[in-house]
Structures are given as C-alpha cells and as structure tokens.
Amino acid sequence: NAVDAQASATCAAVAAWCLVGSWVRGTYSFVDQLWSVAPVVYVGTYAYYARETVAFNVTFIAFYQNVLLLLITLPAAVAYRSTKGFDLMGADGAAVACWCVAFVIEAVADEQQWKFQQSKRDLAPKVPAWREDYLRGFLTHGLFAYSRHPNFFAEQSIWVAFSMFAAASARPVNYFTPVIIGSVLLILLFQGSTAFTESITAKKYPEYKNYQACTSALVLMP
C-alpha cells in the first residue's frame, strides 16, 4: 500500500544517501559502505514486519528500552560527580569484585552456549561429554548444570555491581540510593523475558520441563 511504498522509498533514499556520501568522501572501504546501508535496511525491514504491534514498538522498543539504558548507566554519572575518594578496601572494592566475577561468569556461559550451538549444528567439533545434550537439544553441562540461564544472571549482576559504584560514592555509603532504579527495572524485565523464553523452549524440547524441575532458573545453585 501507500504507507509501505513511502517507508520503502524513504529507507532506499537514506541508504542511497549514505552510500553516495561514502563514495564522495572516498575514505570508506567496501565494508564501511555496506554498514552505512545495513542499519537503514534493518530498520525498514523491522518497521515493515512490526506494523501490527505499533503501540508495543513505540512504547517499549522505542521509548522504554532507551530510558532503561539511560537509567542503568546513571550510576556512572553519580560516581563521577562524587568528591569521595576511591576505597579499594571498602565498598568500591566490593563493587569491583562483584563486577569482575559477574563478567567472568557471563563470558564463560556465553562461550559454552556458543560452543554448544555451533557443535550441535555441526559447525564445530562435538564435545563428547555433551552427547546427551545434543540429543535433548539444549545444554545442561558446564555452568548450565547450576543455572538454566547463568548468562542472564551474570548480566543482571553486572549492572547491579555497576550501581554499587554510585552507592559507594555516597557519604555515608548508601546501597538504596535512587539511582539503583535502573538495575531494578532491568531485573524485572529479565523476569518477564526469561519466563517468555522458557515457555517457547519447553514447547520445543520435551525434556526441558525435567531440566526446569531440578535446576535453578537464574542464580547458580548446586
């Protein structure tokens, strides 16, 4: 229809403008030229297929998520404006330690999941210890033996630790400062998205409900 044609024309015009601009300047490689077009094409494609959920896209995708990104990074601004010195042996040190632990957990969990998905699709060598998991269709070894979503847990922990820097910069230390609202909202968002993800996974893999019954959803537990 006319709306689709206008959207397509607009995206094509912006993409052409980006491409021609890169050619005129002569300072971009072919890859740079491609990436100057790709975001526009992506946005156009997403807009086309998301026509039926305009309210959701406007309120949640376009507005709420951007506000959330601002809120979860707000502790950095608070800590920067603080006149209190950095105390490695106190609250600041605790924040650094928590952040580092969470970062390592997320990196390991992501790597394990990536390796499993690649090997399951025969794009990488299979791991003998994961033989039963290949049959099930999902990973239950490594960190995933202690949590169904260790990477989700770690990402939330990273931003909670990040907010601790703002708490540590207060005089006196205040772990319930209003700037933690970003990490709190992120945790709430993860609860909904995790439940939604698991509902899809449980329908796809019959044995997933057994895995749910014996393994923690987020917090790593033996």
Side-chain angles (χ1 to χ4, degrees):
N1 55 33
V3 175
D4 293 337
Q6 290 175 346
S8 300
T10 303
C11 290
V14 176
W17 177 77
C18 292
L19 187 60
V20 171
S22 66
W23 280 339
V24 170
R25 292 189 62 185
T27 55
Y28 296 100
S29 67
F30 175 78
V31 174
D32 293 324
Q33 294 165 9
L34 177 63
W35 277 108
S36 70
V37 176
V40 180
V41 175
Y42 171 80
V43 170
T45 304
Y46 181 82
Y48 177 81
Y49 287 105
R51 291 171 298 174
E52 303 301 325
T53 56
V54 172
F56 176 77
N57 292 321
V58 170
T59 57
F60 182 77
I61 302 298
F63 178 75
Y64 178 76
Q65 290 199 128
N66 286 287
V67 172
L68 181 58
L69 288 173
L70 174 64
L71 291 175
I72 63 177
T73 56
L74 188 59
V78 174
Y80 175 76
R81 295 172 68 88
S82 174
T83 57
K84 184 178 178 181
F86 185 83
D87 182 10
L88 186 60
M89 302 303 295
D92 291 301
V96 171
C98 290
W99 191 94
C100 289
V101 171
F103 179 82
V104 171
I105 291 174
E106 181 166 17
V108 172
D110 283 344
E111 177 62 24
Q112 289 177 345
Q113 187 64 258
W114 169 258
K115 188 174 182 178
F116 174 75
Q117 295 298 332
Q118 289 293 96
S119 57
K120 186 175 77 169
R121 294 173 173 79
D122 295 322
L123 300 175
K126 291 190 181 297
V127 178
W130 296 352
R131 184 169 51 117
E132 293 183 358
D133 287 347
Y134 294 129
L135 297 175
R136 293 189 188 97
F138 54 90
L139 182 60
T140 65
H141 285 79
L143 291 179
F144 292 84
Y146 307 100
S147 168
R148 302 197 298 271
H149 304 282
N151 44 350
F152 288 7
F153 170 70
E155 182 165 350
Q156 294 170 72
S157 300
I158 282 175
W159 291 107
V160 169
F162 193 76
S163 67
M164 288 173 62
F165 286 107
S169 67
R171 293 176 181 271
V173 173
N174 179 13
Y175 287 105
F176 298 98
T177 175
V179 297
I180 69 171
I181 186 63
S183 57
V184 172
L185 291 175
L186 181 67
I187 291 173
L188 294 176
L189 177 61
F190 262 101
Q191 305 316 303
S193 62
T194 301
F196 179 68
T197 299
E198 293 219 315
S199 68
I200 297 174
T201 306
K203 293 177 181 178
K204 186 176 181 181
Y205 303 112
E207 293 188 41
Y208 195 76
K209 290 185 178 179
N210 296 331
Y211 179 51
Q212 289 177 304
C214 64
T215 309
S216 168
L218 293 169
V219 181
L220 277 76
M221 299 179 65

